[in-house]
Amino acid sequence: MLVLQWVVTETGSGAVAPRVIYYTLRLMMFILSFVLEDWAIHELIPSPRERRLAVVLVASSYVTWTYQTHTFSNAVETLVVLWSIVMIQRILDNKHRSSLLSSALLGSIVAFGVFNRITIPAYLLPPAIYLVPHFLQRPFSLLSLVSTFLLTSSLAIAIDTSFYNLPGSSLLHLLCTNPIITPLNSIRYNTSATNLSLHGLHPPYQHLVASLPLLLGPALLLLYHVRKPTLSILSAFSATILLSLIPHQEPRFLLPAVPLVLSSVRLPKSEILKKYWFGTWIIFNAVLGILMGVYHQGGVVPAQLWLGQQQQERGLGMTEVFWWRTYSPPMWLLGGQEVVTVDLMGMKAGEMMERLTEAIGDCGERGSRSIGLVAPTSSTELDAWMLKSKKEIVFDELWITSRHLNLDDLDVEEDGIGETLARVVGRRGLAIWKIRRFCADSE
């Protein structure tokens, strides 16, 4: 981003537009995934024939060209897991040497991964067990790994402490009095049932019956024909089991498992079965690519860009903007504009209405305050609230897009499949409302 800022400054264009930064980051993640993911697969699979199949399957998976091109921490985690396994494989293959360099690189990669996402150990536990005999015979290799792990972790703590504390105090003082240790904070947050309930609680079989089928589709049928119990497939199985113990489960938590599984399976031997499988694979990825890459939560980024642009050009005239039932809005897309953003996440409808009613306040000498609400148009609770409150609260629709699906709001058990699809798909969209109390004296 510093290079991009320099280029824009040199051309006299002023600050870099958030839209330019967004697409630059997407391009950067595409290049990183294209290079590092394929490179890791080449390292892990010695057979040229099996390697070609693995590269084709990974490249044709919709997960690769949707999730992996985003700046998700899960996309970065995928690259970290793959290259950690590559380093472990290098250490195991080099039986006659200490592999100090590979051990040192492994320590740095794992430390970076842990500070990116705390779930990294779930993927690396079985592969790491294979290293125990090596480290017992070559303790300097273990010392190399631990040293770089601690060094990288210390650097990460220093960077986070400097970034998340107010300027003014020296970094050394902050590290001694208020260090920011991201993995520790993540563990504290995710071990609280109250915190997890804000994001949604799921049964322990959620990953098995929903997440894996959604990510792998027809490739799940190939698990009966795994080449052999490689480090990759052991890592995928381990993560699926361990992450299923966590009450909150999302498909993106298993993103690293996709290339691990696809690089470990074989196609059916029958030519007819192979042809039908490839046809199903192509259709599955085309449909899911459009659904997850274009529509699912697709209005979040355009809405945030619109809010920032409107604030810059003419002002929003709203004290706060509340986001409900969407992904957390990226704050940097506001382009530095001062827009107070409140993420209500998956708060219950009744609690959301109380929160917004309290925020607009009562009618005073200058009328009530105006706030913003960004929410999916498929939330029927809003219809009832608008109808019930039409004489008290004014809802002005400022912006809307139909390119948005809220697949996190599926309630098949209560509404049934037909009614749920009619609501989520038929009423797809994301809107921005300006909400204020109806004050007769101020109208």
Side-chain angles (χ1 to χ4, degrees):
M1 290 305 102
L2 289 175
V3 175
L4 184 62
Q5 181 66 56
W6 176 79
V7 171
V8 172
T9 303
E10 287 297 310
T11 57
S13 303
V16 184
R19 190 182 300 272
V20 175
I21 298 175
Y22 173 73
Y23 285 109
T24 301
L25 290 173
R26 291 289 302 273
L27 178 62
M28 182 186 72
M29 285 303 299
F30 167 76
I31 295 173
L32 281 176
S33 295
F34 180 76
V35 174
L36 295 180
E37 200 167 1
D38 283 11
W39 186 1
I41 291 172
H42 276 72
E43 290 266 355
L44 291 172
I45 305 176
S47 169
R49 182 179 178 182
E50 294 174 346
R51 187 190 304 149
R52 283 195 297 270
L53 173 62
V55 169
V56 169
L57 291 180
V58 172
S60 59
S61 170
Y62 82 93
V63 172
T64 302
W65 31 276
T66 55
Y67 292 115
Q68 282 301 126
T69 60
H70 281 277
T71 52
F72 292 149
S73 60
N74 309 91
V76 176
E77 183 183 30
T78 300
L79 300 179
V80 169
V81 169
L82 284 171
W83 276 96
S84 295
I85 296 177
V86 167
M87 291 299 122
I88 293 174
Q89 190 66 58
R90 285 183 181 180
I91 295 171
L92 294 175
D93 290 342
N94 200 355
K95 298 179 180 179
H96 302 293
R97 296 186 181 181
S98 297
S99 301
L100 293 178
L101 178 58
S102 296
S103 299
L105 289 173
L106 177 61
S108 292
I109 293 172
V110 171
F112 173 78
V114 169
F115 275 80
N116 174 66
R117 283 193 66 81
I118 195 62
T119 52
I120 280 286
Y123 286 94
L124 299 183
L125 183 60
I129 293 175
Y130 282 85
L131 289 177
V132 173
H134 175 85
F135 288 146
L136 290 176
Q137 294 177 4
R138 297 175 175 83
F140 281 107
S141 185
L142 177 61
L143 180 62
S144 175
L145 184 149
V146 172
S147 299
T148 55
F149 179 88
L150 293 176
L151 181 62
T152 307
S153 298
S154 300
L155 180 61
I157 292 172
I159 293 173
D160 287 345
T161 301
S162 175
F163 184 83
Y164 290 107
N165 277 293
L166 295 174
S169 301
S170 68
L171 179 58
L172 182 60
H173 175 72
L174 290 173
L175 288 172
C176 294
T177 57
N178 188 32
I180 304 297
I181 307 175
T182 303
L184 182 59
N185 293 337
S186 179
I187 291 173
R188 287 173 177 169
Y189 183 88
N190 288 287
T191 51
S192 169
T194 303
N195 292 335
L196 293 180
S197 64
L198 296 174
H199 304 273
L201 300 178
H202 305 94
Y205 51 81
Q206 178 78 11
H207 279 323
L208 290 175
V209 302
S211 299
L212 284 178
L214 181 66
L215 294 172
L216 293 170
L220 276 178
L221 301 176
L222 301 180
L223 284 176
Y224 80 96
H225 200 195
V226 175
R227 286 188 283 109
K228 58 181 179 178
T230 59
L231 293 179
S232 298
I233 201 69
L234 290 175
S235 173
F237 285 162
S238 167
T240 302
I241 294 171
L242 293 176
L243 295 180
S244 294
L245 302 177
I246 301 174
H248 176 64
Q249 300 172 31
E250 296 180 33
R252 63 187 178 92
F253 296 168
L254 295 183
L255 286 194
V258 174
L260 296 176
V261 170
L262 294 180
S263 60
S264 303
V265 297
R266 291 177 177 176
L267 294 178
K269 293 182 179 180
S270 169
E271 290 298 324
I272 296 178
L273 289 177
K274 190 184 298 183
K275 184 184 299 184
Y276 279 116
W277 185 87
F278 261 120
T280 308
W281 177 250
I282 291 170
I283 294 172
F284 168 78
N285 285 289
V287 172
L288 267 294
I290 294 172
L291 184 64
M292 305 304 293
V294 177
Y295 283 97
H296 179 53
Q297 298 288 347
V300 172
V301 169
Q304 190 74 319
L305 288 171
W306 184 86
L307 286 170
Q309 185 177 358
Q310 290 296 112
Q311 177 69 3
Q312 181 181 12
E313 292 177 355
R314 58 179 68 92
L316 290 168
M318 297 184 287
T319 56
E320 295 174 288
V321 176
F322 292 82
W323 291 70
W324 183 54
R325 287 183 176 173
T326 68
Y327 281 172
S328 295
M331 300 300 296
W332 60 270
L333 286 177
L334 293 171
Q337 300 301 313
E338 294 184 3
V339 178
V340 180
T341 303
V342 182
D343 185 8
L344 299 179
M345 295 181 281
M347 181 181 288
K348 293 181 180 179
E351 296 177 10
M352 178 273 297
M353 296 173 194
E354 291 179 5
R355 183 79 176 272
L356 266 62
T357 302
E358 182 182 346
I360 59 178
D362 297 321
C363 293
E365 294 182 1
R366 299 182 180 179
S368 71
R369 290 179 294 175
S370 295
I371 62 171
L373 172 64
V374 185
T377 54
S378 60
S379 297
T380 53
E381 297 94 335
L382 290 176
D383 298 343
W385 187 32
M386 291 178 185
L387 183 62
K388 180 181 178 181
S389 309
K390 64 180 181 180
K391 294 183 178 181
E392 301 175 3
I393 300 175
V394 180
F395 294 83
D396 293 326
E397 186 180 286
L398 303 180
W399 180 90
I400 189 171
T401 179
S402 61
R403 208 179 76 172
H404 181 94
L405 276 175
N406 184 25
L407 297 179
D408 299 316
D409 189 27
L410 300 176
D411 195 354
V412 178
E413 291 184 5
E414 185 173 334
D415 298 335
I417 297 176
E419 190 173 334
T420 298
L421 291 177
R423 177 176 59 84
V424 175
V425 179
R427 296 187 44 163
R428 66 186 180 276
L430 186 73
I432 301 175
W433 289 275
K434 186 175 184 179
I435 303 177
R436 56 189 172 86
R437 190 172 293 279
F438 182 81
C439 300
D441 295 339
S442 62
E443 295 297 315

